[in-house]
């Protein structure tokens, strides 16, 4: 295929992918679901599972093998920009003085990991069969533990906004805990990749040493240089976005070369990027990266969906899918609810927090793609985990609606009933710590 033909196919494929992704995302939102559910379904529909069944070789014509590396590269760039923004926004100072957030974060991370690892150890045969010959070893067990402990912060934020509970105590705690859970999950996932046995990469001892050197360079050389650059005379009049993108891409290249994945370099680049003097991310830097990454993310959804081959699943895989879903749901909901209850929150609030933490979506897809590319999981198990991510994410909204009926009592801190994200604005939180008397606050909570 000539260069002109490849460019033509890439342009056409991008037009189809972006149109289908945003159309299905809009449909999902109209149905009360987060857009990621529709976007991922669009990716699966454009893959061999559905479009590949169409006569006339439509799938092969639209997505020939020659353009697959280009689409994959674009999806990785989208992830780099997206995760750089995630790292730049992440602020662990939210844990200070918030006992409920700390308890929910640790419980919502550790308990699902233990349940995920336990499920593999109790049923190694089922996982080994679905994993297509990949070894069910310590690396795989740790990977499955991480995969079942993830909560998708962007999707969770969308659900909270659409359900009209933004600013309520359970929503704020769940959002803060989800950010901490993801921050804890990435290093564990890095350990999984460092401990891999890919012959194309150096031994794990060499990679650990190189990784340590890379971290030192980023913290003690790159960050001070960025601080000087952004605070030098005249810096307010310059565009910082190209510098941030260059740092993010360079850091992503470094971690990928070390045998990890581009996502880790992007996250670290976002974490070391200097903020404004008051500790708040600079919107002039953050917004363009979020918008650009969001524009390209449909390509990532398409690549993720194309890797799902439902036709390759066996009847026995349905039992494993049920086990995975039950483990994922019970682990997250129970962990969030019990941890919040241990922090002396009411049972109803605690269950709402557990339901919210069961949201996966985009972040789960990133973890699954990393595992598939690293050879930790095979295509059949990948398909089962993608279906699990779709089902658990899609169930969050309806479960939250059952717990919070528009004609029932509102959530604590909420001013009244809302439906579909419309209605009276909720009160913001934090208020008093769970277990503290509301009378300790002299002023009512501010309104959004």
């Amino acid at each position: 295929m000539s260069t002109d033909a490849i460019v033509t196919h890439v342009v056409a494929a991008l037009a189809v992918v972006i149109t289908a992704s945003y159309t299905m995302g809009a449909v999902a939102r109209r149905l009360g679901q987060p857009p990621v559910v529709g976007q991922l379904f669009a990716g699966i529909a454009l893959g061999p599972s559905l479009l590949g069944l169409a006569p006339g070789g439509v799938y092969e014509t639209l997505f020939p093998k020659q353009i697959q590396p280009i689409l994959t590269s674009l999806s990785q760039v989208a992830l780099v920009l997206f995760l750089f923004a995630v790292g730049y926004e992440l602020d662990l100072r939210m844990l200070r003085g918030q006992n409920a957030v700390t308890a929910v974060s640790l419980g919502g991370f550790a308990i699902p990991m233990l349940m995920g690892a336990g499920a593999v150890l109790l049923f190694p045969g089922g996982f080994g069969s679905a994993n297509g010959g990949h070894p069910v070893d310590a690396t795989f067990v740790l990977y499955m533990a991480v995969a079942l402990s993830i909560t998708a912060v962007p999707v969770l934020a969308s659900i909270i906004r659409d359900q009209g509970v933004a600013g309520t105590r359970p929503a704020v705690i769940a959002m803060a805990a989800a950010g901490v859970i993801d921050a804890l999950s990435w290093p564990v996932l890095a350990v999984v990749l460092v401990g891999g046995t890919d012959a194309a990469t150096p031994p794990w001892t060499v990679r650990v040493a190189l990784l340590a050197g890379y971290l030192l360079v980023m913290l003690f050389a790159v960050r001070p240089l960025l601080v000087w650059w952004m605070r030098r005379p005249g810096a307010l009049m310059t565009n910082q976005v190209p510098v941030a993108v260059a740092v993010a891409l360079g850091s992503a290249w470094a971690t990928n070369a070390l045998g990890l994945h581009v996502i880790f370099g992007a996250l670290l680049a976002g974490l070391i990027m200097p903020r404004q003097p008051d500790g708040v991310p600079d919107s002039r830097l953050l917004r363009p990266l979020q918008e650009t990454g969001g524009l390209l993310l449909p390509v990532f959804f398409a690549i993720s969906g194309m890797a799902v081959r439902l036709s390759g699943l066996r009847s026995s895989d349905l039992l494993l899918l049920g086990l995975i879903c039950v483990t994922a749901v019970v682990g997250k909901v129970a962990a969030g609810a019990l941890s919040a209850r241990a922090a002396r929150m009411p049972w109803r609030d605690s269950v709402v927090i557990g339901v919210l933490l069961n949201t996966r979506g985009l972040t789960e897809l990133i973890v699954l793609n990393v595992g598939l590319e690293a050879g930790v999981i095979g295509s059949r198990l990948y398909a089962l985990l993608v279906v699990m991510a779709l089902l658990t994410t899609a169930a969050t909204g309806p479960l939250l609606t059952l717990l919070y009926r528009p004609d029932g009592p509102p959530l604590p801190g909420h001013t009244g009933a809302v439906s579909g994200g419309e209605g009276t604005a909720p009160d913001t939180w934090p208020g008093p710590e769970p277990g503290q008397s509301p009378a300790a606050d002299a002023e009512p909570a501010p309104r959004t």
Side-chain angles (χ1 to χ4, degrees):
M1 184 180 293
S2 66
T3 302
D4 288 342
I6 291 177
V7 171
T8 301
H9 276 86
V10 169
V11 171
L14 287 176
V16 172
V17 166
I18 292 176
T19 301
S21 177
Y22 280 96
T23 300
M24 294 305 299
V27 171
R29 185 177 289 278
R30 291 294 298 270
L31 296 176
Q33 293 292 337
V36 65
V37 173
Q39 291 172 331
L40 181 56
F41 181 79
I44 296 175
L46 293 175
S49 296
L50 291 179
L51 186 61
L53 302 178
V58 177
Y59 173 72
E60 291 77 10
T61 301
L62 185 59
F63 301 105
K65 292 182 179 180
Q66 291 87 339
I67 73 168
Q68 294 288 338
I70 299 176
L71 295 179
T72 301
S73 299
L74 288 174
S75 71
Q76 297 302 300
V77 171
L79 286 184
V80 168
L81 298 179
F82 171 76
L83 288 168
F84 174 87
V86 170
Y88 187 47
E89 284 187 297
L90 185 61
D91 187 4
L92 296 181
R93 292 178 300 177
M94 68 182 76
L95 291 178
R96 296 177 183 174
Q98 298 295 339
N99 296 332
V101 174
T102 303
V104 173
S105 301
L106 296 179
F109 174 68
I111 295 176
M113 280 197 68
L114 291 175
M115 291 192 65
V120 176
L121 295 176
L122 288 175
F123 303 97
F127 283 94
S129 174
N131 208 28
H134 293 75
V136 182
D137 52 11
T139 298
F140 175 76
V141 172
L142 186 57
Y143 173 82
M144 288 299 300
V146 175
L148 295 183
S149 66
I150 286 291
T151 297
V153 177
V155 181
L156 176 58
S158 175
I159 291 176
I160 288 174
R161 181 182 64 249
D162 293 343
Q163 292 290 323
V165 296
T168 60
R169 181 181 300 175
V172 172
I173 291 178
M175 275 294 298
V180 177
I181 290 170
D182 283 359
L184 295 173
S185 299
W186 297 121
V188 179
L189 184 58
V191 171
V192 172
L193 297 184
V194 169
T197 57
D198 188 354
T201 58
W204 71 268
T205 52
V206 176
R207 278 183 282 171
V208 169
L210 292 174
L211 179 60
Y214 157 75
L215 292 174
L216 292 175
V217 170
M218 292 293 287
L219 292 174
F220 298 106
V222 177
R223 177 174 169 77
L225 186 60
L226 288 172
V227 171
W228 169 81
W229 173 263
M230 298 182 72
R231 295 178 183 176
R232 76 192 193 285
L236 293 176
M237 304 301 295
T238 60
N239 185 4
Q240 307 291 350
V241 175
V243 175
V245 172
V247 172
L249 292 175
S251 181
W253 165 81
T255 54
N256 197 63
L258 291 175
L260 296 176
H261 195 276
V262 297
I263 62 174
F264 299 104
L267 275 169
L268 182 60
L271 288 171
I272 69 165
M273 181 62 60
R275 298 185 173 203
Q276 298 185 91
D278 58 358
V280 177
D282 189 344
S283 61
R284 296 170 301 173
L285 173 61
L286 183 63
R287 183 172 298 175
L289 294 175
Q290 289 178 326
E291 292 176 348
T292 305
L295 181 64
L296 293 176
L297 275 178
V299 183
F300 171 73
F301 290 121
I303 295 297
S304 301
M306 291 176 188
V308 176
R309 298 182 179 272
L310 299 177
S311 59
L313 297 180
R314 304 172 184 174
S315 56
S316 59
D317 292 337
L318 295 178
L319 295 177
L320 184 61
L321 175 62
L323 172 65
I324 291 173
C325 289
V326 169
T327 304
V329 173
V330 173
K332 273 297 186 182
V333 175
L338 294 177
S339 300
R341 183 59 181 168
R344 296 184 295 175
M345 292 194 66
W347 268 114
R348 185 161 169 266
D349 287 8
S350 302
V351 175
V352 168
I353 290 173
V355 169
L356 290 173
L357 291 183
N358 194 42
T359 303
R360 289 176 173 85
L362 175 58
T363 312
E364 180 76 13
L365 291 181
I366 295 173
V367 173
L368 297 183
N369 276 270
V370 170
L372 184 64
E373 293 175 11
V376 179
I377 57 174
S379 58
R380 281 171 55 200
L381 185 56
Y382 172 83
L384 294 177
L385 291 171
V386 169
V387 173
M388 178 274 293
L390 266 176
L391 293 177
T392 54
T393 302
T396 302
L399 288 176
L400 188 59
T401 301
L402 288 176
L403 292 168
Y404 172 54
R405 298 178 182 275
D407 56 349
L411 289 173
H414 205 283
T415 58
V418 294
S419 178
E422 304 287 341
T424 308
D427 289 339
T428 58
W429 190 82
E433 266 297 305
Q436 177 182 346
S437 172
D441 284 352
E443 298 292 337
R447 300 182 61 81
T448 55

